[in-house]
Amino acid sequence: MADRRIDSCLTLAVMNQDVPIVTIEGLGAPESLHPIQKAFIEHDGFQCGYCTSGQIMSAVALLEHEKPPASDTEIRERMSGNLCRCGAYPGIVEAIRCVRDAARNPVAGEAA
């Protein structure tokens, strides 16, 4: 929301009527996925899918609107508010690291 990560379960939409809100549905399309969506698929950053949209949206805000995390430990710490009961955390960290590194070194190509 307004380029910030928020706890959607604690935020009433009516209180933010004039604030730009992007959800997973507005992030990419099946034929043109956002790089973090591609990376989640390629690195098995999801299992049941229940938390995936929140994980992806948080990862996008983390990479695009905050100082990029310097280490895997920092990725884990900054994503700690998103819970995954299936334990897909290693794939989530790999996906975020991959997109972060691709942004740092665009010559290397796409996030994959």
Side-chain angles (χ1 to χ4, degrees):
M1 183 166 68
D3 296 334
R4 294 180 303 119
R5 296 188 289 167
I6 62 154
D7 293 327
S8 60
C9 59
L10 300 175
T11 304
L12 297 174
V14 72
M15 295 171 61
N16 297 286
Q17 293 181 56
D18 299 320
V19 178
I21 298 172
V22 177
T23 64
I24 192 76
E25 292 82 8
L27 192 59
E31 63 280 352
S32 60
L33 296 175
H34 186 281
I36 200 73
Q37 289 173 307
K38 289 179 187 177
F40 263 64
I41 291 168
E42 293 167 0
H43 296 280
D44 295 322
F46 60 92
Q47 286 185 24
C48 75
Y50 186 77
C51 73
T52 304
S53 59
Q55 296 278 4
I56 288 174
M57 295 307 295
S58 190
V60 167
L62 173 72
L63 294 171
E64 293 183 0
H65 305 292
E66 299 176 13
K67 180 183 173 195
S71 67
D72 287 2
T73 301
E74 190 175 348
I75 291 171
R76 285 186 200 92
E77 174 63 29
R78 290 170 60 189
M79 292 292 290
S80 65
N82 296 79
L83 303 178
C84 172
R85 294 181 60 106
C86 298
Y89 295 115
I92 292 168
V93 172
E94 287 177 27
I96 294 169
R97 181 184 340 109
C98 177
V99 174
R100 178 205 60 201
D101 293 349
R104 287 180 177 168
N105 186 10
V107 177
E110 278 189 44

